[in-house]
Structure formats: C-alpha cells, structure tokens
Amino acid sequence: MMDLFDTLTRSGLSEKAAKALSKIPHKQVQVDPRRPFREPGHDRDEVIFIQTGLLAKYKPDGSGRRQIVALRFPGEGILPAKGKAPYGIQAITKADLMVGQASDLEPILEEYPEIANFFYKLAERQQAIGYEWLVNCGRRDSMARVAHLLCETAERMKVDPAKEAMRNPFTQQQIADITGQTSVNVNRVFADLERQGVIRRDGRLVHFEEFDELRRIASFQPDYLS
Amino acid sequence: MMDLFDTLTRSGLSEKAAKALSKIPHKQVQVDPRRPFREPGHDRDEVIFIQTGLLAKYKPDGSGRRQIVALRFPGEGILPAKGKAPYGIQAITKADLMVGQASDLEPILEEYPEIANFFYKLAERQQAIGYEWLVNCGRRDSMARVAHLLCETAERMKVDPAKEAMRNPFTQQQIADITGQTSVNVNRVFADLERQGVIRRDGRLVHFEEFDELRRIASFQPDYLS
DNA sequence: CGGTTGTTTGAACTGATTCAATCTGTGTGG
DNA sequence: CCACACAGATTGAATCAGTTCAAACAACCG
C-alpha cells in the first residue's frame, strides 16, 4: 500500500510540506471496479490519492460507448480544480483511496508555495502521457496500441518485464475503452501477440517473453513517463 | 494582435502580477508555417505567448507519420518545464510570438504565487481539451472528428458561426494529423459535409450553413473549453 | 448450482487506407 | 505576361483493418 508521506518526499517535496499535505483531513474510501465512483459532471472539489488499485477517468462519447482518457496508479492522485469535471471516475481494480476536501488543501497551498510547483510537475507528467495516448489512438495500428498500453502499464506498475510477469489489471473491454477499439478486436490482438511468442498469458498474468520485440511493435519510448 | 497584459488581466490575474509577467525580457519572433520551430526533444526552457497565428505541438509516431497533440491560438501560450519536451512545435499559420526565458520567469513566480495558480488553471484547460481530443480520435467516426475540430476551432478563434464564415487555418493534411486520418479521407469528409449542406466552402473560407447540425454530427459540447 | 462477467471464435460487412493520377491555385523568375 | 514549379485538393480503384452481430465457452462467486 502506497504511503502518501513517503510518496511525496520521494518525489522531492520537503518533509515539512509533505507532512502538512498528508495531515489534511480525509476519509479512507474503498472503490469497487465497474461501479462508477464519480459521474461525469461531478464537482472537482476533492483531492484524491491512490494507495492501492487503479482508477480511470472516462468520458462518454454521445452514443453508448466511452473512452478512458487517463489512468491513475498507486502513488498518483487526482487534483481539484474550479468547476465541474467533464469526465467521470471509475475503478479498474478494487482501489483504496484517500479523499480530502479542496477547501482543506488551499491554506496549505498558500503556506507552502513549493506544493503548487510540485502539483504543476505532476500535471506536466500526466499531460505528457495524454499526448502519448493521442499518438497511440491517432497513429498506431491496433496491435501497436495494445502493445503500447502493456509497455506503459508495466512501467507504471514498476514491473520489471525481464524478471517478472505482470498481473494484467484490465478486462479486454477496458483495454478497448483505452485504445479506442472493440473488445472483440482486442481479443484478436492478444491472441496474435501470443501466437507470435511476444507474450504468454496465464489467466490474468502476462509474461513478457520478448519485451524488446513488444517495445518495437509499440514503438514505446519510455522517456515521456519520467 | 493579442496583447499579453490585456490577456492576463482579462483572465483574472491582478494588474501587478500581469505587469510583472509582461515585462519579462523577451524577443519577438515570427514563425513561418511548415518550417519546424522547435524539434521534438528541445529544451523546455522557454515561455511562449502567441500574439497572432496558430501553433501546433506534434509528435512523430516512429514511422513517417505524425500526430498533432495540441494547438495554441492567439492569447494562449506554451509554458516551460524541467527537461526536454517529447514534442515538437510548428506553426500552422504564420505566427507572431513572444519568447522569453524560463530563468526570467522563476523569480516572478516566487514573487507572485497567484501566477503559479493561474498557470495551473491554464494547464487544466489544455488538459480538458486533450481529453476531448482523445475521445475524438478513439471513439468518433471520421466525419464526427472533422466536424468536432471545426466546432472547436470556431469556438477557440471566437468566430460566431451564426453570423460569420471562418477562415479555415488548416490544410487537409494538418486536419488529418490532428484527427488521426489520411488527408485523402479528410477531403472526402469535407465533400460529404458540403454535399449534406452543413457547411459551404469558398476557398479557405468555411460557411457554417447549419451549425446545429454540425454540432450534432460532432457531438460537440463546448463546456470543456471554458 | 445458477447467475454474472469476461473471453473466444466465425462470418459478413464497411469505413478508411493506399497508391496513383489529375486538377487547381499561387507564387516566381525570365 | 507567360511558363514553370510546387503545394494542396480532388478523384478512382483496389485492398484491408477493424467493426458488428451472434453465439459459444470459461471462470468466478455467493
């Protein structure tokens, strides 16, 4: 389980500021997958920090389908802002969250200007990821998109693909919602990747048999994640 | 031509902070379309403010193609950050820019904490646009994507579609690079939209004959832009 | 055991790409 | 002013990647 104080100090925040941040009044929430946690249009007056599990921001597209526009892994969070969010929030896997009020955050932001700067850096990283996802959806073919998501997920879950298998946290439908396809096609891509010997599946476990090849297929350049 | 001080105060910044920001030493730059202005991997040590014209952030995709991941209209800007940018910058139409150094910005950020907050809000808006683009590329069909870009562009160029025609700033290749298609298909979509009487083209001018219908095709909900 | 959620497969279809050729408008130099 | 070059727009034909619809199968859980 990710500890907030540790995460903050390890990301370069001063002990004082980190302590102040992690002392914000908050409630501990557990979110089940599939059940929406916040609907599109919800008030963005909360600070959310993820301890375990996986959260997704999603947007409906007008017809029944939806697009997942961002993921949050343990140690990451969702920051507050003015107004309503144009996206909903949903758990991918059962998640433990710390949820605080934006109003409790503000005085701390004023006291420690370094935190605003810190938040800005976090937003930068999320933006870089968003750009990469756009390239993924806009320019790569079906197989590259799935491969890219696998590479990014391994990296963000801190799985070393050379040494260990990764427990794939997504259903094929969710992968489809991230990569802009249908679950039927995601299934075929997975079968292809396995037939080519790039990955091996064992239930939800994914073994990276040839990670370099997977990275090549995905044209995955991990620098945007740092 | 967009004035920096005016833009800042109109966006809610205090006169003092706005004046300090607009007094940063900077050079005036004119960028021609098609000629890359900053290559992918450039140092993010500049503050850029757009006075006239249109700038695009783009990423190459490994093979020869590229994806435009963000646009900057007059009155908007590109903020600095640590490290290298994973994207390049290019002009869509001839642009007049103010370019300053990040090192000159820092002391002002420290003096006026409200500016950090202000930058954060700008980043929020760009993020919301990025999310919408993801939905566009991932979930909408070819025609909806082009229609959506037209709606968003009209809004961001402050064209009133009921009253005036819009000078389309993009080549069909650029629209393809934004919406993740080929220029050939963009051309067919335009022809379709015109055949349906939704738009009328007159050279680069686009007349919105039935803007409501265009918005419906695009499922365009402008709230994410505010 | 029955219900639910997720995965897999097949067949038919279609939207978009690819490749190639042609056309149009604009700017440039002789 | 004309000839030429060049970027961009347009069109056609063939192809293909991914969708759609439908059905079967597997895994999990109370």
Side-chain angles (χ1 to χ4, degrees), chain B residues 43-127:
Chain B
D43 225 340
R44 305 182 63 175
D45 57 354
E46 295 174 320
V47 218
I48 302 175
F49 176 77
I50 293 127
Q51 293 172 313
T52 61
L54 214 48
L55 242 46
K57 293 188 188 181
Y58 68 93
K59 288 189 86 157
D61 83 324
S63 48
R65 301 193 303 181
R66 58 178 214 159
Q67 173 76 30
I68 291 178
V69 294
L71 292 173
R72 291 294 185 273
F73 288 78
E76 302 178 346
I78 296 179
L79 296 172
K82 285 276 165 296
K84 310 279 181 198
Y87 52 81
I89 304 176
Q90 189 168 359
I92 298 285
T93 58
K94 187 188 277 204
D96 293 295
L97 314 176
M98 289 171 58
V99 180
Q101 288 297 314
S103 51
D104 293 321
L105 178 66
E106 276 154 24
I108 294 176
L109 273 174
E110 298 211 354
E111 192 176 353
Y112 302 94
E114 62 167 312
I115 294 181
N117 193 33
F118 170 72
F119 280 0
Y120 188 75
K121 271 187 209 148
L122 293 183
E124 281 296 334
R125 178 173 190 257
Q126 298 298 341
Q127 189 190 53

Side-chain angles (χ1 to χ4, degrees), chain B residues 153-171:
Chain B
T153 305
E155 185 95 8
R156 289 175 79 180
M157 298 209 316
K158 301 187 179 78
V159 169
D160 181 349
K163 296 209 184 69
E164 18 169 4
M166 176 176 79
R167 196 186 149 71
N168 170 17
F170 308 110
T171 66

Side-chain angles (χ1 to χ4, degrees), chain B:
Chain B
M1 161 120 24
M2 273 288 179
D3 180 67
L4 177 52
F5 179 80
D6 286 353
T7 306
L8 293 173
T9 47
R10 247 183 290 117
S11 322
L13 214 54
S14 77
E15 294 231 341
K16 263 194 161 176
K19 186 173 284 179
L21 252 190
S22 46
K23 287 271 172 63
I24 284 184
H26 62 266
K27 50 189 177 188
Q28 206 68 38
V29 181
Q30 194 170 71
V31 192
D32 281 330
R34 257 170 303 122
R35 193 175 315 283
F37 172 57
R38 293 290 180 260
E39 299 287 346
H42 70 270
D43 225 340
R44 305 182 63 175
D45 57 354
E46 295 174 320
V47 218
I48 302 175
F49 176 77
I50 293 127
Q51 293 172 313
T52 61
L54 214 48
L55 242 46
K57 293 188 188 181
Y58 68 93
K59 288 189 86 157
D61 83 324
S63 48
R65 301 193 303 181
R66 58 178 214 159
Q67 173 76 30
I68 291 178
V69 294
L71 292 173
R72 291 294 185 273
F73 288 78
E76 302 178 346
I78 296 179
L79 296 172
K82 285 276 165 296
K84 310 279 181 198
Y87 52 81
I89 304 176
Q90 189 168 359
I92 298 285
T93 58
K94 187 188 277 204
D96 293 295
L97 314 176
M98 289 171 58
V99 180
Q101 288 297 314
S103 51
D104 293 321
L105 178 66
E106 276 154 24
I108 294 176
L109 273 174
E110 298 211 354
E111 192 176 353
Y112 302 94
E114 62 167 312
I115 294 181
N117 193 33
F118 170 72
F119 280 0
Y120 188 75
K121 271 187 209 148
L122 293 183
E124 281 296 334
R125 178 173 190 257
Q126 298 298 341
Q127 189 190 53
I129 294 173
Y131 288 168
E132 191 64 32
W133 280 30
L134 261 172
V135 177
N136 218 24
C137 280
R139 282 288 165 241
R140 294 200 250 263
D141 68 18
S142 180
M143 181 174 283
R145 279 186 256 180
V146 173
H148 195 278
L149 178 64
L150 285 177
C151 291
E152 185 183 301
T153 305
E155 185 95 8
R156 289 175 79 180
M157 298 209 316
K158 301 187 179 78
V159 169
D160 181 349
K163 296 209 184 69
E164 18 169 4
M166 176 176 79
R167 196 186 149 71
N168 170 17
F170 308 110
T171 66
Q172 295 183 352
Q173 180 58 56
Q174 288 165 340
I175 293 179
D177 288 343
I178 293 169
T179 57
Q181 319 176 47
T182 56
S183 61
V184 172
N185 204 52
V186 169
N187 182 279
R188 288 179 175 135
V189 167
F190 261 109
D192 268 5
L193 284 171
E194 195 161 29
R195 196 169 320 121
Q196 289 181 24
V198 184
I199 60 169
R200 184 166 50 82
R201 285 178 298 170
D202 183 9
R204 271 296 179 84
L205 271 188
V206 174
H207 299 264
F208 298 105
E209 302 285 12
E210 299 179 32
F211 191 70
D212 283 346
E213 177 63 7
L214 189 69
R215 224 166 41 195
R216 198 195 54 74
I217 292 171
S219 46
F220 177 70
Q221 306 284 356
D223 32 302
Y224 70 95
L225 286 170
S226 60

